[in-house]
Amino acid sequence: RLCASAMDAAATVGRVSNGGGVVRFPLSASSALFMQKGDITKWSIDGSTDAIVNPANERMLGGGGADGAIHRAAGPQLVEACRTVPEIRPGVRCPTGEARITPGFMLPASHVIHTVGPIYSADINPAASLASAYRNTLMVAKENNIQYIAFPAISCGVYGYPYDEAATVAISTIKEFPNDFKEVHFVLFSPDIYDIWSNKVEELLKD
Ligand code: AR6
């Protein structure tokens, strides 16, 4: 059993195209959470149906931060695909806490799941909204038979969510889906966030 899981971890490191250290934490017998530093636009699991998560805004037509990087790497077809997502109110394609899926176009990952985290200082219940962004993203992934998914630290940039509190919400919500995905990854751009989130994963995933 130990041997098998060490082999799985080694195989996965080899398949993550942005390389670097990848740390694996089992969620169940068939599923694991992986932590790595890096650029989410480079992430994919070769040959699989996979998705990266875009921390978008409600308009869903691009922006700064990870959203800007994802749109640049995916090419102009991504914004065109986003434009075809129906507005549920003027200027709102994806309300805070919900998720929408598009193809990945020029990205290595086959899909992008766009979700909108809360603006920390403006949301009445930021923890509930952030949990809902993770939960709805995972539900959309499941509906689309996506077994491999990579998240950035949703709301931890422009939207101002404290890193430690965001980690608790992110990890607790992923733990609600122990059997639905082969691999759930965090690809974290900021070394500070990576350190804080790694400590939190160890705390929340130890038995
Ligand atoms: N790969 C992984 N993580 C990244 C990358 C990358 N290439 N680039 C930035 N990050 P943010 P938010 C990290 O601001 O707080 C946009 O303008 C970044 O270091 O991208 O949810 C949208 O259009 C931070 O830790 O998203 C919205 O208007 C994390 O990704 C708004 O920002 C999230 O930071 C959303 O704000």
Side-chain angles (χ1 to χ4, degrees):
R1 159 139 243 112
L2 269 176
C3 237
S5 93
M7 277 165 62
D8 286 354
T12 301
V13 172
R15 286 183 288 137
V16 173
S17 52
N18 58 355
V22 183
V23 188
R24 180 184 188 277
F25 299 86
L27 287 166
S28 70
S30 59
S31 179
L33 179 65
F34 296 78
M35 304 281 303
Q36 65 191 288
K37 290 182 202 168
D39 177 355
I40 202 163
T41 68
K42 306 269 197 289
W43 182 91
S44 77
I45 303 294
D46 279 352
S48 72
T49 302
D50 52 10
I52 63 167
V53 178
N54 181 18
N57 56 58
E58 292 188 330
R59 204 161 154 254
M60 236 186 95
L61 295 179
D67 191 6
I70 289 168
H71 274 272
R72 279 191 299 279
Q77 283 175 294
L78 182 59
V79 77
E80 292 315 318
C82 288
R83 230 184 271 285
T84 68
V85 173
E87 287 184 324
I88 59 153
R89 307 192 279 282
V92 177
R93 288 180 183 76
C94 184
T96 300
E98 294 191 17
R100 303 285 186 270
I101 191 165
T102 66
F105 299 105
M106 290 164 63
L107 288 163
S110 60
H111 296 81
V112 178
I113 301 178
H114 308 259
T115 189
V116 181
I119 299 172
Y120 187 75
S121 63
D123 201 283
I124 299 166
N125 188 344
S129 298
L130 188 61
S132 152
Y134 280 94
R135 195 176 295 122
N136 282 314
T137 297
L138 291 167
M139 284 168 48
V140 166
K142 211 174 137 176
E143 284 161 14
N144 286 275
N145 298 312
I146 289 165
Q147 294 274 318
Y148 302 89
I149 184 165
F151 285 93
I154 298 166
S155 284
C156 289
V158 176
Y159 283 180
Y161 213 110
Y163 303 159
D164 185 87
E165 288 175 40
T168 302
V169 173
I171 298 153
S172 313
T173 309
I174 286 166
K175 280 178 71 177
E176 294 172 10
F177 297 78
N179 295 307
D180 292 305
F181 302 95
K182 292 205 173 100
E183 300 186 5
V184 179
H185 291 244
F186 286 129
V187 180
L188 303 171
F189 204 62
S190 141
D192 288 356
I193 295 183
Y194 179 84
D195 291 343
I196 293 168
W197 284 43
S198 294
N199 288 334
K200 190 66 79 178
V201 167
E202 278 174 30
E203 181 188 322
L204 296 181
L205 291 187
K206 70 167 186 272
D207 301 313

